Amino acid sequence: MAAATERPQLQVFNSLGRKKTEFKPLDPNGVKVTWYCCGPTVYDAGHLGHARNYVSTDILRRIMDYLGYRVEFVMNITDVDDKIILRARQQHLLANFQNEHLDHSNEQAVETVKAAYAAYAKKNLPRLPSDLGPSTYEEAKTREYGAVLAGGTLAGSGAPSDEEAKVKMYIRVMDSATDALQRIVQDPSSLGRDDYFRATGEVLAPYLDSLHGASIPSDDYSIFQSLTRHWELQFEKDLKALNCLPPTRLTRVSEYIPEIVSFVERIRSKGFAYATSDGSVYFDIEGFEAVGNSYARLEPWNRNDKHLQADGEGSLAKKNTEKKSDADFALWKASKPGEPSWPSPWGPGRPGWHIECSVMASAVLGSRIDIHSGGVDLAFPHHDNELAQSEAYWVDQSSGTHDWVNYFLHTGHLSIKGSKMSKSLKNFTTIQDALKPDGGWTARRLRIVFLLGGWREPIEITSDVVKGASAWEATVNKFFTNVHAYLGEEAEEKRNGRIVPQRFGDPEKALRADLESAQLRFDRALLDSFNTFPAMSVVSDIIGKTNIYISEQSSSFSLASVKEVARWVTRVINIFGLDHSASAPDGGPKIGWSQATSTQDSEPEDERTQQEAQADFHRGVSSFRDGIRRAALKAAPEVSKELLELCDHLRDNVFVNEGIYLDDREPGQSALIKYFPKAELIAARQEQEKLAAEREKKKEAAKLERDRLEQERLEQGRLSHLEMFRTNEYSAWDEDGIPTKDAQGEDITKSRSKKLRKDWDRQKKKHETWLKSNESPK
C-alpha cells in the first residue's frame, strides 16, 4: 500500500448487522484471515450470474492480499443435492431409453413421447386443455398464454415476474417438442435420431423419471458422480478462464458424509434437533431460540417466507406431518427409492443442503470463521440456517451464545434486461459461451464491469455499462501501448550507445505528486469496504494526467517519470486480476497487461528475444520511411505527393497487416512504433475505410443535390422576362412586356405596376444567366 502517516483501518459492509464495521481478524496478529465461500452445485453449466459472484469474490480476496492479509480461502463443491439427483437420474434414464429405441420413429417410442408431452403440459402449463395434442397446441397456446407471450402477466395486471418467465420457458420446451412430434409423424425421415431426442428430451426426461426414477439403486453413486465430476471439471475451467485464484482448499460434500452424520447427531443430542419416524432429522428453531439463541439474523424479515423455505428444502422434499414447525429445516433426509443414501443412526439417508456447508467449513476452519461469502440470494434461508445449526453445534450454552462467523459478505445479482439469470429459468448465457471469440465478452471486460459496478450492488448489463467498461479498458490499453512504444525507443537509444535524459524538474515533480495522491486515494477507496468504482476512477485520472504531461513536455518528457506511473498502474491491474495470470500481484518491474507487448524495461542487454529482433527490423524500416517522408516534404510537389502516398501505404497497409501502428509525430521526430493485435488494427482500418467511403458517398450525394438545385435555379430563367406576363391575366403590355391593363381592361395601379417591375427585373437576371449557361463554348 501507499505510505501514509495514519492509514485508516479496513471497513467492510457486514450483512450481519447490515452496516459497515471495522474489520478485525480473529488472528491475534491481525494477519491471517479465514474465509469460507459457498461454491457451485455442480449439475449444469456455470453462467454469467455465477461469474458475477466468483469474480467479485476473487476481487475482494485479491484486495485482501494487497492490504497485507494472509487469506486461507476455502470453497465447497456441492455434489449431493436434490437438483443433482433429479438431473442425473433423468439423464441416465433418457440415455437408456435412447439406447432401447435405436429406431426413434417406431410406434412405441413415439407413443411414449406423446404421453410425456401431455404430462409435461398438464404439470407446467395447466391452462392448456387436457386432451392437448401437437395439432391443437399452437391454437391453445395462443388462446391461453398469448398475453404472457406478449409481455403480460398470468393475472392480467401488474409487472411480469419469475412466474411469467417460467411459463415462457415451458412454452419454448413445448414448441420444440411439438415441432419434432409433428415432423416425425408426417415423415419419419425428416428428423434424425439425435435431433429428435434433443428436441423432445426436456419433456421426455421428467416423464421417464416419474415412471422409473425409483428403480435407481441408492448405492450406485456412479450415476450421480458422472454428472457432478463433469460439471466440477468445467467449473474449474471456468474459474481459470475468468482468472480467479484457485481456493486454498476445495471441499466436496460426498467426502464429508461421516462428519455430517456426527455433526447432526451432536446437534440432536444437545436438544436442537429431532428425528422423525421416516429417518429424517430436522432442526428445532423454537428449541434453539428458547435458550437465548437467535435465528434468521441475516434476513429476519424473510423467516416466514414459505416460498424461500420450500426452495431451501429442495425439489424432492415431501411434506412431513411430524415436523414441529413448518419452518424447521432438514439436517438429514431419509432417502426415498431412487435417491442415493448413506448409513446413519436414523436409517439410510443423505444430508440436507444447509448442513453440508456448516460441516465442511467447521471441519477445515474450526469453531469460528472470519468471513463467509456467497451470492445475496443465499442469505436466507441457506446462510441463516448455516448460522443457526453451526452455532447450535459449537455453543456451550452455559457460556452464552456462540458467534460462528464474524463477517458475512454477499455479492449482488447480475441481470440482463431486468431479469436475474437462473438455471431453473434457463435464461442464462454460460461462462464458456460468453468467453468464446464470438461470445461478446472477455474475462477482462467482464471483470471491469464488476469493478465499476461494485461488489454488493446489483448490476444490470446495459449498453451504457458495456460502453463504460470498454472505455476504461481502452484508456488503459492505449496508455500501455504508448509506454511500450517509448520503451522501444529508449532501448534502441541505449543499444546505439546514446544516453537517455532523466530530467526531474518541476513538471516531473508535479507528476510525482499526482501519483502519490492517486496512490493514497486508491488505498482509501479500497479500505472503504472494497469500493472499487472510485479506485478505478483514480487509475483513469492518473493516466489522463500523465498523458497531459507527455503532451505538454513533447519530446523532452522524462520517460522515467512515465514508467513510474505505468508500473503503478500495472500493479493495480494485477491487484484487480485484470492481467490473465491467476496469481497475486508481485510488484515486479513488468509494465502492461498480457494483450499488450510484453517488453520489460528490466531485461538484460544480452538476453535479446525474437520479438526484440523483429522490433529492430521494424524500427529500421520505419526509420527508412521517416527519411523518405523528410525528403518528400522538400521535393517538388508532384514528387512529394507520390512519395507521401507511398509512405502512407507502407504505414496503413504493410505495417498494419503485421499488427504495427506507426504514429507520425511532428517534423524532425521519428514515427512512434506501437504494437497491437493484427485483427484489431485491420478492423480499425476497415472501419476507417468504411467511414471514408460513407463520407465520400455523402459528399457525392451533396454535390448531386447542389447540382440539382442549381439546375432548378437556372430552369427558373428559361422563361424570358419579355414573355413572363403575356397571359390571360392581362390585356395590354408596354414595350418591355410589363402589363398596363388587367384582363377587364382596367389600368394597372401604380403600386402593382411597381411590384410587377421588380418581378420583371429578377426574371431578366435569371433569364440572362440561363442564356449564358446555354451558350456554346467558342
Side-chain angles (χ1 to χ4, degrees):
M1 290 184 60
T5 53
E6 290 187 13
R7 188 185 78 181
Q9 293 297 308
L10 172 63
Q11 301 284 316
V12 299
F13 185 90
N14 189 357
S15 297
L16 281 170
R18 295 170 290 285
K19 63 181 180 181
K20 286 183 190 177
T21 57
E22 184 177 330
F23 181 71
K24 295 181 179 179
L26 294 166
D27 176 25
N29 297 317
V31 176
K32 181 180 178 181
V33 174
T34 54
W35 188 334
Y36 182 84
C37 175
C38 279
T41 300
V42 283
Y43 72 99
D44 205 343
H47 55 65
L48 290 182
H50 297 123
R52 157 64 164 158
N53 178 30
Y54 300 128
V55 171
S56 294
T57 301
D58 182 70
I59 291 168
L60 303 190
R61 179 183 173 190
R62 288 172 180 268
I63 292 172
M64 294 287 280
D65 288 337
Y66 167 66
L67 295 177
Y69 296 104
R70 191 174 72 251
V71 178
E72 183 177 5
F73 189 84
V74 180
M75 177 184 283
N76 78 290
I77 295 290
T78 297
D79 59 353
V80 179
D81 180 81
D82 287 24
K83 298 184 184 75
I84 291 169
I85 294 169
L86 277 172
R87 180 66 60 85
R89 221 163 54 186
Q90 290 177 6
Q91 287 187 356
H92 175 74
L93 293 169
L94 183 59
N96 286 349
F97 183 84
Q98 291 174 292
N99 291 333
E100 292 166 2
H101 296 86
L102 298 178
D103 177 9
H104 60 290
S105 62
N106 69 57
E107 183 178 356
Q108 183 186 2
V110 172
E111 289 304 313
T112 302
V113 174
K114 285 182 177 179
Y117 178 87
Y120 188 92
K122 181 179 180 181
K123 177 182 178 182
N124 299 305
L125 298 169
R127 292 186 180 182
L128 296 178
S130 58
D131 59 347
L132 180 78
S135 61
T136 59
Y137 166 73
E138 196 65 33
E139 180 184 351
K141 175 186 76 174
T142 303
R143 182 179 67 249
E144 301 297 340
Y145 293 104
V148 173
L149 292 173
T153 65
L154 290 166
S157 61
S161 65
D162 283 355
E163 290 305 307
E164 284 72 28
K166 286 180 182 179
V167 167
K168 291 179 180 179
M169 177 191 72
Y170 297 142
I171 287 175
R172 286 195 297 270
V173 172
M174 287 290 289
D175 286 347
S176 176
T178 300
D179 177 68
L181 275 170
Q182 288 178 327
R183 290 174 63 184
I184 207 71
V185 170
Q186 293 169 2
D187 180 5
S189 64
S190 67
L191 198 61
R193 180 174 176 274
D194 290 345
D195 289 337
Y196 175 67
F197 283 122
R198 191 177 299 113
T200 60
E202 290 194 62
V203 301
L204 184 55
Y207 179 70
L208 294 173
D209 188 67
S210 69
L211 297 177
H212 311 295
S215 66
I216 302 295
S218 62
D219 58 353
D220 188 358
Y221 306 134
S222 64
I223 291 174
F224 309 100
Q225 289 173 346
S226 62
L227 175 72
T228 59
R229 285 172 180 167
H230 169 80
W231 289 117
E232 181 183 336
L233 290 174
Q234 184 57 53
F235 169 70
E236 290 180 8
K237 291 177 183 177
D238 288 345
L239 280 189
K240 187 173 182 181
L242 292 167
N243 200 28
C244 291
L245 298 170
T248 312
R249 288 177 183 79
L250 191 73
T251 62
R252 297 180 187 87
V253 174
S254 59
E255 296 172 352
Y256 282 81
I257 299 297
E259 290 87 346
I260 292 173
V261 171
S262 298
F263 204 95
V264 172
E265 174 55 25
R266 179 170 173 175
I267 295 173
R268 191 200 64 78
S269 67
K270 295 171 77 170
F272 298 131
Y274 56 92
T276 56
S277 60
D278 69 340
S280 298
V281 180
Y282 292 91
F283 189 80
D284 186 350
I285 295 176
E286 184 178 344
F288 179 67
E289 291 187 305
V291 292
N293 300 300
S294 297
Y295 176 70
R297 292 164 58 197
L298 289 166
E299 293 187 351
W301 56 88
N302 276 330
R303 65 176 293 161
N304 295 317
D305 188 315
K306 296 190 181 300
H307 175 75
L308 291 175
Q309 290 170 350
D311 188 58
E313 289 301 272
S315 52
L316 293 174
K318 302 294 183 183
K319 185 174 179 61
N320 190 323
T321 58
E322 297 179 48
K323 286 174 64 174
K324 294 181 179 180
S325 166
D326 287 341
D328 291 349
F329 54 91
L331 301 179
W332 184 260
K333 298 179 178 181
S335 290
K336 299 182 289 295
E339 299 175 2
S341 68
W342 290 265
S344 80
W346 319 283
R350 56 191 178 85
W353 175 35
H354 315 297
I355 198 70
E356 297 170 343
C357 286
S358 290
V359 173
M360 291 183 288
S362 295
V364 177
L365 299 175
S367 62
R368 296 192 69 191
I369 301 170
D370 286 308
I371 298 173
H372 194 322
S373 67
V376 68
D377 54 318
L378 296 180
F380 185 89
H382 185 54
H383 288 162
D384 265 322
N385 289 354
E386 273 190 67
L387 271 174
Q389 62 202 10
S390 299
E391 291 174 352
Y393 177 87
W394 288 108
V395 69
D396 178 357
Q397 210 64 53
S398 63
S399 304
T401 58
H402 178 86
D403 290 325
W404 181 53
V405 171
N406 280 356
Y407 303 90
F408 259 102
L409 308 182
H410 287 111
T411 56
H413 284 310
L414 180 74
S415 61
I416 295 180
K417 297 180 181 178
S419 180
K420 186 192 85 170
M421 288 191 179
S422 167
K423 286 182 181 178
S424 61
L425 296 178
K426 302 184 187 299
N427 66 339
F428 59 85
T429 301
T430 68
I431 296 169
Q432 192 175 15
D433 285 344
L435 298 184
K436 287 179 178 177
D438 60 348
W441 291 97
T442 64
R444 177 178 296 160
R445 181 75 51 79
L446 199 60
R447 190 172 283 249
I448 291 170
V449 166
F450 300 153
L451 283 161
L452 292 173
W455 63 277
R456 286 183 48 241
E457 293 74 21
I459 294 177
E460 181 169 5
I461 300 297
T462 64
S463 58
D464 287 343
V465 167
V466 175
K467 286 177 184 176
S470 300
W472 192 93
E473 183 178 14
T475 296
V476 177
N477 201 50
K478 184 177 181 181
F479 176 65
F480 283 148
T481 299
N482 288 341
V483 173
H484 283 128
Y486 299 135
L487 289 175
E489 287 190 329
E490 181 188 55
E492 178 69 9
E493 292 291 293
K494 289 180 179 179
R495 279 194 290 274
N496 291 329
R498 291 189 285 269
I499 294 175
V500 179
Q502 301 284 349
R503 59 191 292 254
F504 191 69
D506 289 341
E508 290 71 35
K509 291 175 183 177
L511 184 60
R512 164 69 70 79
D514 288 336
L515 176 59
E516 290 175 349
S517 172
Q519 291 169 334
L520 187 60
R521 287 184 290 128
F522 178 81
D523 288 349
R524 284 178 175 164
L526 298 189
L527 288 166
D528 182 19
S529 194
F530 314 108
N531 196 354
T532 54
F533 175 74
M536 296 283 278
S537 298
V538 166
V539 174
S540 52
D541 180 59
I542 189 62
I543 287 175
K545 289 180 177 178
T546 306
N547 289 336
I548 291 172
Y549 162 76
I550 293 171
S551 176
E552 289 179 346
Q553 301 305 308
S554 188
S555 59
S556 63
F557 76 87
S558 169
L559 184 54
S561 296
V562 173
K563 284 195 288 186
E564 187 178 13
V565 174
R567 287 196 191 97
W568 182 74
V569 173
T570 301
R571 190 173 185 216
V572 170
I573 295 309
N574 289 333
I575 290 166
F576 287 155
L578 291 170
D579 193 12
H580 204 88
S581 175
S583 59
D586 57 9
K590 176 184 172 183
I591 288 176
W593 49 23
S594 56
Q595 289 181 4
T597 287
S598 60
T599 303
Q600 295 188 23
D601 61 316
S602 60
E603 288 183 351
E605 188 71 19
D606 58 349
E607 292 185 10
R608 303 290 305 284
T609 64
Q610 183 179 2
Q611 186 179 38
E612 287 177 321
Q614 290 174 343
D616 284 348
F617 174 73
H618 299 153
R619 275 189 290 272
V621 177
S622 178
S623 178
F624 175 76
R625 174 180 172 275
D626 291 335
I628 295 296
R629 290 185 78 245
R630 285 193 293 271
L633 294 173
K634 299 176 183 177
E638 62 276 8
V639 176
S640 174
K641 182 175 183 296
E642 185 174 354
L643 288 176
L644 288 174
E645 286 177 349
L646 289 171
C647 288
D648 288 347
H649 175 79
L650 185 64
R651 177 194 64 198
D652 299 336
N653 293 277
V654 178
F655 271 92
V656 163
N657 290 343
E658 294 301 317
I660 303 162
Y661 176 72
L662 298 183
D663 188 356
D664 288 325
R665 294 183 282 187
E666 59 189 53
Q669 283 188 282
S670 60
L672 194 61
I673 303 174
K674 301 178 181 181
Y675 293 90
F676 292 88
K678 290 183 187 179
E680 184 179 320
L681 278 184
I682 292 172
R685 181 184 65 200
Q686 290 172 341
E687 181 64 20
Q688 288 176 349
E689 290 171 348
K690 178 182 175 183
L691 293 173
E694 289 175 353
R695 285 195 298 271
E696 191 62 32
K697 186 177 179 181
K698 289 179 181 178
K699 184 179 177 182
E700 182 63 24
K703 181 179 181 301
L704 291 173
E705 179 64 10
R706 287 196 303 273
D707 291 346
R708 185 186 68 79
L709 294 173
E710 176 63 16
Q711 190 60 36
E712 284 184 0
R713 188 182 68 81
L714 289 172
E715 282 298 311
Q716 291 173 3
R718 179 184 288 272
L719 178 63
S720 170
H721 52 292
L722 300 174
E723 301 294 329
M724 66 183 291
F725 294 127
R726 294 186 181 276
T727 66
N728 294 333
E729 190 178 352
Y730 308 102
S731 59
W733 301 265
D734 65 13
E735 66 272 15
D736 290 330
I738 297 175
T740 56
K741 294 181 182 295
D742 62 18
Q744 286 75 37
E746 298 291 332
D747 290 338
I748 300 295
T749 63
K750 282 187 176 183
S751 60
R752 189 177 182 193
S753 180
K754 187 176 181 181
K755 181 180 183 301
L756 292 172
R757 170 62 69 174
K758 287 182 179 179
D759 292 343
W760 186 90
D761 287 339
R762 281 195 293 269
Q763 187 62 23
K764 179 184 178 183
K765 290 179 181 178
K766 290 180 181 179
H767 186 62
E768 289 172 348
T769 301
W770 179 83
L771 289 172
K772 190 173 182 180
S773 69
N774 283 277
E775 289 179 355
S776 299
K778 294 181 180 180

